Amino acid sequence: MERVVIALGGNALLRRGAEDTFEEMYRASRLAAERIADIAAAGWEVVVTHGNGPQVGRILLQQEAAKEVVHPMPLDVCGAESQGQIGYLLQVTIGDVFFERSMERPVTTILSLTRVRAQDPAFRNPTKFVGPYYEEPQAKQLEQERGYVMKADPHGGWRRVVPSPKPYSIVETPVIERLVSAGVIVIASGGGGVPVIEKGPRLIGKEGVVDKDLAAAILAHEVGASVLLILTDVKKVQRGFGSLYPEDIDRMTAGEAKSMLKKGEFGAGSMGPKVQAAVNFVEAGGSRAVIADLDDATSALEGTNGSEVVAG
Amino acid sequence: MERVVIALGGNALLRRGAEDTFEEMYRASRLAAERIADIAAAGWEVVVTHGNGPQVGRILLQQEAAKEVVHPMPLDVCGAESQGQIGYLLQVTIGDVFFERSMERPVTTILSLTRVRAQDPAFRNPTKFVGPYYEEPQAKQLEQERGYVMKADPHGGWRRVVPSPKPYSIVETPVIERLVSAGVIVIASGGGGVPVIEKGPRLIGKEGVVDKDLAAAILAHEVGASVLLILTDVKKVQRGFGSLYPEDIDRMTAGEAKSMLKKGEFGAGSMGPKVQAAVNFVEAGGSRAVIADLDDATSALEGTNGSEVVAG
């Protein structure tokens, strides 16, 4: 059986502009679950991974609001919490869709850790904004009190910044591999996984954020997936993004993609890391990576939709 | 290889009276991890389960404090969050101890759901206090606004009460069984698992709390464990608990235990459900259940410490 790692973007968990209620999250998750069921029904072994930015953001707001009565937990613990929250929602909605279609496939969520390097330069230069917005004096106080690094956010106000180190290996791969081989739909590496460094023989959780698409590429390689399917809310990757005449890309080689990445053709948003993840996967030996709209998941997997990255 | 399900009480995650900081939780979790490592090193296959009462309580406080900016999630979602949080902490500390002892056993946390019956009378009579304390007018308002059931807490103030339905099956057993058979230390059924009812073919999450020891007994039976080891912070179960001359129990048959349960010999606290869980396990065919102090885990498993329940 062929194996696919499906990376769900934030819009698969909460549609743009929707209120962050449980009902809206359930609704969005169900749409993703329908597409996952389509793919599983077509005979694929499936690992699902997902982002967690908005969810961790909400947990951080809650921690801050309650800080006088409940000690805030470090970011790695919050990331693990978000994996439980999102994994549960995905697991239940996928389960619902499967049962409605009389598909008997178990679905399981694995709490995931991702190895990053202690010497990753990201640890000396944290850049990823997380959590609540503050006025400057409060921000300075948090730097003193908690050792946070605070920066002025381009959107206004001050926020904490944390490192976004590069992932190089998924701690739970052997377990995920074993389960997916047995036909289980595995939800794993949520939010890119909790970043851990190896210190001698120990794994130490770090406060940071791993790019979920880069982690998905590693996971897809490690479990021997033939396809990495990155689902988002745009139909195609565009070159000359933001210019007057952007151009849809149907297919590119890893080499072409790298040259476009270098030229900044994909804009400053989140498309760059997705293309980079696709490149990493095929360069590590994966046969294809596809970036597509969630709605087009099945045709993208078949190669007739989205933007495909292949070796070369 | 023999197989044990270890149920960790709240004190294994945060010692009585300790502040609920990450550092204290890590410290408590490490002590539990040491005992789990002892047992794994003695050649046992191990499934670890744990309570989540204080952790869910903190998440509910955080949700309440931030409710103007972040929509609160239902209790089942909070339970899943707590499984991520506690599972992460246990997994990391167990991993730390294993590595220090040069033990190569993978450790994995499985998000767990527990089947309960839609017609369980607990749903018509919620009794379990959860979350923040309120004044009566606020409590009445929450009944109106959110459909909560609120009751006066014997400790003062008003709190939400939720059902505590009886578990009858663990959704993730096949996955847990597969992993534990492969030598993985599995952390599962945290907080008793998120309660779900079957509605036709669907699993629907319910706002409620499953007793973690009763769920552990079912899990132990379903994975074919020979021993259920319930770890808490008392050396022995006592009969005539709270009387002038309580008596330590070294060993009792399921029949003796049931008769003492009926007479209320174990007091109104949490020992009753632990003894009941032990009875359920041996009556379902398990060879022994032991209730013991966390510090005595190894000798209790060997049968020379704690209070043992056997068939008969």
Side-chain angles (χ1 to χ4, degrees):
Chain A
M1 237 197 268
E2 274 199 290
R3 188 171 291 178
V4 58
V5 169
I6 303 175
L8 297 173
N11 69 309
L13 302 164
L14 188 64
R15 286 170 302 172
R16 268 178 222 269
E19 267 204 293
D20 67 340
T21 60
F22 175 72
E23 290 71 22
E24 285 291 347
M25 286 172 69
Y26 182 89
R27 202 164 295 152
S29 182
R30 256 206 77 114
L31 290 176
E34 296 277 359
R35 300 294 76 76
I36 291 165
D38 293 342
I39 291 167
W44 289 78
E45 292 178 342
V46 178
V47 179
V48 178
T49 173
H50 58 81
N52 72 343
Q55 288 77 11
V56 164
R58 282 198 292 277
I59 291 171
L60 292 172
L61 283 170
Q62 291 172 332
Q63 290 209 141
E64 207 53 32
K67 70 179 172 197
E68 302 299 336
V69 284
V70 179
H71 288 285
M73 292 286 131
L75 189 60
D76 50 336
V77 178
C78 299
E81 275 186 48
S82 79
Q83 288 189 39
Q85 182 191 98
I86 303 166
Y88 171 67
L89 203 65
L90 278 170
Q91 180 169 338
V92 166
T93 48
I94 294 171
D96 281 355
V97 174
F98 280 9
F99 278 124
E100 285 164 23
R101 300 188 187 185
S102 306
M103 290 168 62
E104 297 255 346
R105 294 276 289 271
V107 187
T108 288
T109 304
I110 303 286
L111 181 71
S112 302
L113 316 184
T114 297
R115 291 188 184 89
V116 300
R117 292 187 178 82
Q119 66 274 29
D120 191 307
F123 285 114
R124 294 191 302 275
N125 179 30
T127 54
K128 186 89 185 167
F129 287 101
V130 295
Y133 291 79
Y134 299 92
E135 300 294 319
E136 189 171 350
Q138 282 177 289
K140 296 289 172 198
Q141 197 182 336
L142 285 169
E143 290 194 316
Q144 294 289 325
E145 280 176 14
R146 301 195 196 160
Y148 287 179
V149 181
M150 308 293 290
K151 281 189 185 162
D153 189 300
H155 300 99
W158 286 66
R159 290 176 84 190
R160 184 179 183 196
V161 284
V162 296
S164 186
K166 284 208 173 51
Y168 70 90
S169 143
I170 310 296
V171 175
E172 283 71 26
T173 291
V175 162
I176 297 166
E177 216 288 323
R178 183 178 294 272
L179 293 178
V180 75
S181 295
V184 179
I185 308 290
V186 182
I187 300 164
S189 194
V194 177
V196 294
I197 58 167
E198 292 185 303
K199 193 165 183 177
R202 284 181 60 191
L203 295 176
I204 312 221
K206 297 299 282 182
E207 295 202 275
V209 169
V210 175
D211 181 272
K212 74 126 191 3
D213 295 307
L214 295 180
I218 290 164
L219 179 60
H221 168 65
E222 290 183 345
V223 300
S226 51
V227 184
L228 168 63
L229 180 59
I230 298 177
L231 297 175
T232 176
D233 58 354
V234 298
K235 293 275 172 194
K236 301 265 183 189
V237 179
Q238 296 187 317
R239 65 184 300 176
F241 180 86
S243 74
L244 266 181
Y245 303 103
E247 197 183 312
D248 282 355
I249 300 173
D250 294 324
R251 196 164 195 263
M252 51 188 155
T253 64
E256 289 164 351
K258 278 157 77 176
S259 127
M260 287 188 268
L261 275 168
K262 203 175 271 178
K263 291 185 203 144
E265 295 261 20
F266 307 119
S270 68
M271 195 51 85
K274 289 185 203 309
V275 175
Q276 185 66 57
V279 166
N280 292 355
F281 175 65
V282 299
E283 288 199 333
S287 61
R288 306 157 52 216
V290 189
I291 300 167
D293 190 295
L294 173 65
D295 295 336
D296 302 332
T298 323
S299 52
L301 186 55
E302 287 163 356
T304 60
N305 224 325
S307 298
E308 188 177 56
V309 178
V310 294
Chain B
M1 236 196 268
E2 275 200 290
R3 188 171 290 178
V4 59
V5 169
I6 302 175
L8 297 173
N11 69 309
L13 302 163
L14 188 63
R15 286 170 301 171
R16 269 178 220 269
E19 269 204 292
D20 67 338
T21 59
F22 174 72
E23 291 70 23
E24 284 292 345
M25 286 172 68
Y26 182 89
R27 203 163 296 151
S29 182
R30 256 204 78 114
L31 290 177
E34 296 278 358
R35 299 294 76 78
I36 291 164
D38 293 341
I39 290 167
W44 290 78
E45 291 178 343
V46 178
V47 179
V48 178
T49 173
H50 58 81
N52 72 343
Q55 288 77 12
V56 164
R58 281 198 292 278
I59 291 171
L60 291 173
L61 283 170
Q62 290 172 332
Q63 289 210 142
E64 206 54 31
K67 69 179 174 199
E68 302 299 335
V69 285
V70 179
H71 287 285
M73 292 286 132
L75 189 60
D76 51 334
V77 178
C78 298
E81 275 185 48
S82 78
Q83 288 188 39
Q85 183 191 96
I86 302 166
Y88 171 66
L89 204 65
L90 278 171
Q91 179 170 338
V92 165
T93 48
I94 294 171
D96 281 355
V97 174
F98 281 8
F99 279 125
E100 285 163 23
R101 300 189 188 184
S102 307
M103 290 168 60
E104 296 256 344
R105 293 277 288 273
V107 187
T108 288
T109 304
I110 303 286
L111 181 70
S112 302
L113 316 184
T114 297
R115 292 189 184 89
V116 299
R117 294 188 176 81
Q119 67 273 29
D120 192 307
F123 286 115
R124 294 191 302 277
N125 179 31
T127 54
K128 186 89 185 166
F129 287 101
V130 295
Y133 292 78
Y134 299 93
E135 300 294 320
E136 188 170 351
Q138 283 177 289
K140 296 290 172 195
Q141 197 182 338
L142 285 169
E143 291 195 317
Q144 294 290 325
E145 280 175 15
R146 299 195 196 160
Y148 287 0
V149 181
M150 309 291 292
K151 282 191 184 157
D153 189 301
H155 301 100
W158 286 66
R159 289 176 86 190
R160 184 179 183 196
V161 283
V162 297
S164 186
K166 284 207 172 53
Y168 71 89
S169 142
I170 310 296
V171 175
E172 283 70 26
T173 291
V175 161
I176 297 165
E177 215 289 322
R178 185 178 293 273
L179 292 178
V180 76
S181 294
V184 178
I185 309 290
V186 182
I187 300 164
S189 195
V194 177
V196 294
I197 57 167
E198 292 185 305
K199 193 167 182 174
R202 283 179 63 192
L203 295 177
I204 313 221
K206 298 299 283 183
E207 295 200 275
V209 170
V210 175
D211 181 272
K212 73 127 193 358
D213 294 308
L214 295 181
I218 291 164
L219 179 60
H221 168 66
E222 290 183 345
V223 301
S226 51
V227 185
L228 168 62
L229 181 59
I230 299 176
L231 297 176
T232 176
D233 57 357
V234 298
K235 293 275 170 195
K236 300 264 182 190
V237 179
Q238 296 187 317
R239 65 185 301 176
F241 180 85
S243 73
L244 267 182
Y245 302 103
E247 196 183 312
D248 281 356
I249 299 173
D250 293 325
R251 196 163 196 262
M252 51 188 155
T253 65
E256 290 164 352
K258 278 157 77 176
S259 125
M260 288 188 267
L261 275 168
K262 203 175 270 179
K263 292 187 205 143
E265 296 259 20
F266 307 120
S270 69
M271 194 50 84
K274 289 186 204 308
V275 175
Q276 185 65 59
V279 167
N280 293 355
F281 176 63
V282 298
E283 289 200 331
S287 61
R288 306 158 52 217
V290 189
I291 300 166
D293 190 295
L294 173 65
D295 295 337
D296 302 332
T298 323
S299 51
L301 186 55
E302 288 163 357
T304 60
N305 223 326
S307 299
E308 188 177 54
V309 179
V310 294

